[in-house]
Every structure is written in C-alpha cells, then in structure tokens.
Amino acid sequence: KAGVTQTPRYLIKTRGQQVTLSCSPISGHRSVSWYQQTPGQGLQFLFEYFSETQRNKGNFPGRFSGRQFSNSRSEMNVSTLELGDSALYLCASSVQDYGYTFGSGTRLTVV
Amino acid sequence: SQQGEEDPQALSIQEGENATMNCSYKTSINNLQWYRQNSGRGLVHLILIRSNEREKHSGRLRVTLDTSKKSSSLLITASRAADTASYFCATDAGGYSTLTFGKGTMLLVSP
C-alpha cells in the first residue's frame, strides 16, 4: 500500500512569490491534514480537508490556503511568501481513531 | 498553540538502556498518539492509546495514559542506536478535531 506522497521534497522561493505544495494521501483515506514545522514554533496545524471540504483551519493568515480534489489529493498554497514561512510542511492522511500517516514533507526555504 | 509538553526535552542514553519520555496535556482527549521523527523528515506513527485505555504495548514500546493527571509516558526498552530520533506526543480531542503536538523529546542512543 503506497504511503502519503508529498511533492516537491525541497523548494527554494524568493520573498513575495507564491508556492503550491501537493499531497497524495493513502488510497481510501478521505481526510488530509497539513502541518507546518519550524524550530521555534514546533508542529502547528494548518488545515484539514475531508471529502473536498475544509473542516478545520489553524491560526494562520489568509495567505495560507488549501483545497482537496475529488480523488482526495490535496494542495496547499502560500502567497506573498515571507522569510518566516521557511519550514517543513507536512501532510498527513488518516482514518478516524487510527492514527495519522505522514508524508516525508516539503522543505520550503524562502530567501 | 501547543497542547502538551514533553519531558525531558533531550535524553542521552547508551544502547541497551531503557528510555522514558513523558507528555502532559491540558484538555480532554479522545486518544493520545506518539510519533517518531528522524532528522527533520516525516513523522512515523508509533502507537495510539484511547482515553479509556491505561496501558498499551507494541514491540519494545510501552505507553501509559493517566487521564486524571492528563499525562502519558512512552517507554522504549533495550534502546538501539537506530532509535535516535525526536519523539512527539499528540492529542486528538475527537470529532472533527485535529492532532495537537507537543514540542518533542530528542533521544540520542549511543552505541
């Protein structure tokens, strides 16, 4: 069974640009969550999608957005990048009460 | 915001020794999960313990949960160098909630 696939693995962007990250969940998993990990703030929840609907959103500015497609694949977008957006972005898919399976993450560096 | 706190923040032991990490949390939970992360890569799900369970085992892992004290512990027996990683506890409040992570414990197992 394939795991959670995140692309790309690494990304370098310039301040002010925008970026789109992709996540393919485990087949059959309809819930996809996104997390940001930084040394200072740790792991912080961004948003969660279930059957193309955003069910939960973390405390991030509107520059952070996401969506989920009918095949459960999800994308997140960050517009007008800031240096502080440099982080490891993790996607996870889950079935309720059975733990989350995380992808390897996308390492975003904003210069 | 972080739900819980792991203790200690860092732990250094020799191969063959046991490693114990503690986690405290603040609000009611549906379940508590432990994850491992190697060198800033994706999180690996280790074990999930439900709020009505007190202890759970998986291979060399033993997890306890005390909901009255809002705390959990992870014991890794007979540690190996390959266990070197960061360990995170995460709480799930149930329903449409998402995982809330602590800041993690960095475990170093020396040969």
Side-chain angles (χ1 to χ4, degrees):
Chain A
K1 200 175 192 180
V4 176
T5 303
Q6 289 188 249
T7 56
R9 286 294 308 277
Y10 302 93
L11 210 47
I12 300 176
K13 290 287 188 178
T14 305
R15 271 182 300 176
Q17 288 186 313
Q18 74 161 18
V19 67
T20 299
L21 312 182
S22 178
C23 172
S24 294
I26 289 175
S27 177
H29 285 195
R30 293 159 66 188
S31 173
V32 174
S33 302
W34 289 87
Y35 290 82
Q36 181 198 64
Q37 186 177 30
T38 60
Q41 299 299 316
L43 282 151
Q44 293 191 294
F45 169 70
L46 281 158
F47 21 67
E48 187 242 354
Y49 288 89
F50 182 88
S51 293
E52 303 178 65
T53 300
Q54 186 182 85
R55 290 200 301 194
N56 263 307
K57 189 177 193 302
N59 189 25
F60 279 81
R63 299 185 297 106
F64 290 81
S65 63
R67 60 179 175 169
Q68 186 181 33
F69 302 94
S70 59
N71 62 357
S72 293
R73 190 178 71 84
S74 177
E75 289 181 347
M76 68 163 281
N77 184 277
V78 188
S79 62
T80 320
L81 284 165
E82 300 176 0
L83 294 178
D85 298 333
S86 295
L88 179 66
Y89 289 88
L90 293 163
C91 163
S93 73
S94 64
V95 175
Q96 192 170 11
D97 285 348
Y98 284 93
Y100 287 50
T101 302
F102 282 81
S104 296
T106 294
R107 173 76 62 185
L108 171 65
T109 302
V110 182
V111 298
Chain B
S1 62
Q2 301 294 329
Q3 158 76 302
E5 296 278 337
E6 281 97 338
D7 169 50
Q9 290 186 343
L11 181 60
S12 183
I13 60 173
Q14 300 289 316
E15 264 191 331
E17 295 181 337
N18 295 340
T20 299
M21 289 160 261
N22 302 299
C23 168
S24 60
Y25 58 93
K26 298 172 184 173
T27 61
S28 296
I29 62 171
N30 182 50
N31 64 67
L32 185 144
Q33 304 172 31
W34 285 90
Y35 289 83
R36 183 186 74 225
Q37 185 178 41
N38 291 86
S39 301
R41 301 192 66 179
L43 296 161
V44 175
H45 180 257
L46 296 175
I47 197 165
L48 179 153
I49 186 165
R50 293 183 170 79
S51 60
N52 61 353
E53 298 175 311
R54 291 296 166 260
E55 187 171 314
K56 204 162 183 178
H57 296 255
S58 177
R60 295 184 296 112
L61 305 179
R62 172 179 169 255
V63 169
T64 62
L65 178 65
D66 187 334
T67 53
S68 66
K69 294 181 179 178
K70 291 187 169 56
S71 67
S72 173
S73 68
L74 171 68
L75 168 68
I76 304 174
T77 59
S79 294
R80 306 165 181 168
D83 294 328
T84 294
S86 290
Y87 292 81
F88 295 88
C89 70
T91 55
D92 184 345
Y96 293 160
S97 68
T98 60
L99 289 182
T100 305
F101 286 87
K103 287 194 176 292
T105 293
M106 291 180 60
L107 174 65
L108 173 63
V109 183
S110 301

